[in-house]
Amino acid sequence: MTDPSLVSPAATISSKSSFFQWFCIGLVLITALSILAVHLPERLKLLLVFAVVYGLIAGGLLTSLAVKLDVPVKRSLLVSILCLTVFGQSLVLYLSHQRYKEATLQQFKLDKTSLMLNRMMQGEPPTDPESRKQYDQVLKQFEAAKQERQDKEQQLLAVSSYLQHRISSVARVEAPWPQLFWTIELVFSCLAAIWASLQVSHPDSSIPHPEESTQEES
């Protein structure tokens, strides 16, 4: 066994340089993978399955890159792969939420209700006291309706609303269940990434060597 104190400083610097290079390239690859994942057709984004597949691709890709750059597959690398996988899944969530916000805002723009309310509120108030009283009551109702619509718009633009929208085809549940489900997906994605990493770094670990088979037979 090699004494750590005998490792040359040049080898240590080279190892750190390789790891830094791997991390930078891996960050770019994970970003590209996340952008690609966001723009996939919705029919391919199956709940839970999509997260697991993402983790498998991320873990295998990052570990293959590490092997190519001679970065040893040890605990620090696995932790880094976990961090990059979490970053990638968070980026997928952020970009997907942005697309959801754009679509929601577009729907509100196409809706003429707000425009009608604004036009009604811009009218001149009547001078007759009785009519003015009725006008003020109607104006308060319009203002309340407008405020309610704005609150609904802000609620629909929240991340929690998007997470709820994601699983609406399976179940209509309120917070915190959509957030909990996304957390479960994240955990499964990380586990898949670690499993893929171990498979790439030790592809023949499950296959017994001929020498081991001979010893078992004897």
Side-chain angles (χ1 to χ4, degrees):
M1 184 175 180
T2 306
D3 189 351
S5 60
L6 299 178
V7 179
S8 63
T12 303
I13 295 175
S14 177
S15 177
K16 291 182 178 180
S17 176
S18 298
F19 180 83
F20 181 75
Q21 183 182 5
W22 169 85
F23 188 84
C24 292
I25 298 176
L27 188 61
V28 173
L29 291 176
I30 287 296
T31 302
L33 178 63
S34 300
I35 295 174
L36 176 63
V38 170
H39 289 85
L40 286 175
E42 292 297 326
R43 65 178 181 275
L44 299 179
K45 300 178 183 179
L46 300 176
L47 294 176
L48 192 61
V49 177
F50 181 72
V52 171
V53 173
Y54 181 97
L56 292 174
I57 296 175
L61 190 64
L62 292 173
T63 307
S64 299
L65 177 64
V67 172
K68 186 175 182 179
L69 296 177
D70 294 328
V71 178
V73 180
K74 51 186 181 180
R75 183 175 299 178
S76 59
L77 183 73
L78 295 178
V79 172
S80 300
I81 290 176
L82 278 178
C83 293
L84 288 173
T85 303
V86 172
F87 166 76
Q89 284 287 0
S90 301
L91 184 59
V92 169
L93 174 61
Y94 171 77
L95 295 176
S96 299
H97 177 234
Q98 293 301 311
R99 298 186 69 187
Y100 172 77
K101 283 177 62 176
E102 292 177 1
T104 304
L105 288 173
Q106 187 64 25
Q107 290 180 358
F108 273 97
K109 288 180 180 179
L110 294 176
D111 192 354
K112 304 298 183 181
T113 306
S114 296
L115 183 60
M116 292 175 59
L117 290 175
N118 290 331
R119 287 180 177 177
M120 290 179 179
M121 293 173 62
Q122 290 175 358
E124 292 293 333
T127 56
D128 181 61
E130 186 66 26
S131 300
R132 179 61 182 266
K133 184 178 180 180
Q134 294 178 357
Y135 174 83
D136 291 339
Q137 292 178 352
V138 174
L139 186 61
K140 288 181 180 179
Q141 294 177 356
F142 282 149
E143 290 177 347
K146 185 178 180 180
Q147 184 62 42
E148 181 181 356
R149 183 176 177 81
Q150 290 176 350
D151 294 341
K152 182 180 180 181
E153 180 179 348
Q154 293 300 321
Q155 181 181 359
L156 288 175
L157 295 179
V159 178
S160 58
S161 177
Y162 167 70
L163 292 176
Q164 187 176 357
H165 169 74
R166 284 183 69 242
I167 62 175
S168 59
S169 59
V170 178
R172 294 187 178 275
V173 292
E174 301 293 335
W177 297 110
Q179 293 86 336
L180 180 61
F181 186 81
W182 183 82
T183 304
I184 293 174
E185 285 186 311
L186 179 62
V187 171
F188 273 92
S189 183
C190 291
L191 292 176
I194 294 300
W195 183 85
S197 176
L198 295 176
Q199 293 301 311
V200 171
S201 59
H202 305 291
D204 300 327
S205 59
S206 60
I207 302 176
H209 294 284
E211 296 179 358
E212 296 178 355
S213 301
T214 305
Q215 292 177 358
E216 290 178 358
E217 291 177 358
S218 61

